Amino acid sequence: MDDDRKIRFEAVYRQTYDRILGYAVRRCDSPEDAADVVAETFAIAWRRVDALPPGEEARLWLYGVARNVLANHRRGEHRRHAHVVAFDAGLAELYARSPSPAHDLPADLEAVAQALAVLSDDDRELISLVAWEGLDHGEIAAVLGCSRNAVRIRLHRARRRLTKALAGAGVPAGRIVMESI
């Protein structure tokens, strides 16, 4: 890349970075997502520096690029969420087929998958570590890098939220042995 193009990109970057970052921060769920959007926006600008319009129009062009990057980011989030739901349903089905008399899973596995889908990632991970990986509190504490007591408290709360989510999905709490999860 010749020096004129590099100098032009650096000038546009300095002039617009704060505004593009603010645009992304106001539209993203987390600062990390906003940083990713800004990084991708300027990576595109770097690759397409010859397409950057002159003057103040460069900022507007970058807003358009950032808007498209955000749209792609949101589509990716929706796809990831759909994959998580499908994965959870598959795990519930697999778990239901495993020969374990200690677990009385409901016949309606879709309701279980829906209940798991509404839990936070942290709750779903805790429940998965117990139910599917068979880890005890000490092992989970080692995996998560926290104390056994923190695991006990978090797991208690996650079980309570799962019970509530199952009830919301139409699965009575008595149909699942919660202490085995």
Side-chain angles (χ1 to χ4, degrees):
M1 173 172 270
D2 64 26
D3 287 340
D4 291 339
R5 294 169 67 205
K6 181 180 175 186
I7 291 168
R8 182 163 181 255
F9 174 82
E10 289 173 349
V12 168
Y13 181 87
R14 281 191 303 275
Q15 293 166 358
T16 61
Y17 179 82
D18 289 339
R19 289 185 170 182
I20 299 302
L21 177 61
Y23 177 87
V25 165
R26 287 186 292 276
R27 286 161 178 80
C28 290
D29 293 334
S30 71
E32 293 83 10
D33 288 346
D36 289 345
V37 167
V38 171
E40 180 64 21
T41 298
F42 282 105
I44 291 168
W46 174 256
R47 288 191 304 267
R48 299 187 58 207
V49 70
D50 292 330
L52 269 170
E56 188 64 18
E57 290 179 35
R59 177 176 54 93
L60 302 177
W61 185 84
L62 285 168
Y63 279 139
V65 171
R67 183 175 180 272
N68 291 335
V69 170
L70 275 165
N72 288 338
H73 175 76
R74 288 183 181 126
R75 280 191 295 275
E77 287 293 315
H78 289 296
R79 278 193 306 272
R80 280 186 287 284
H81 178 71
H83 288 296
V84 166
V85 170
F87 182 72
D88 286 345
L91 284 176
E93 183 178 337
L94 177 66
Y95 188 62
R97 280 190 261 144
S98 70
S100 177
H103 301 92
D104 180 27
L105 287 179
D108 189 1
L109 295 176
E110 182 61 33
V112 173
Q114 288 173 356
L116 286 170
V118 300
L119 295 179
S120 70
D121 290 340
D122 290 341
D123 284 352
R124 200 169 31 251
E125 177 68 8
L126 269 171
I127 289 170
S128 296
L129 288 172
V130 171
W132 289 302
E133 306 307 325
L135 301 182
D136 65 26
H137 292 177
E139 293 167 327
I140 294 171
V143 169
L144 299 179
C146 62
S147 70
R148 289 175 55 93
N149 194 45
V151 168
R152 187 183 59 75
I153 292 167
R154 290 176 190 173
L155 187 56
H156 172 75
R157 291 175 180 162
R159 285 177 175 147
R160 204 171 56 214
R161 286 187 283 266
L162 177 60
T163 301
K164 184 177 178 181
L166 286 168
V171 178
R175 291 190 58 193
I176 295 212
V177 180
M178 290 306 290
E179 289 307 312
S180 65
I181 295 180

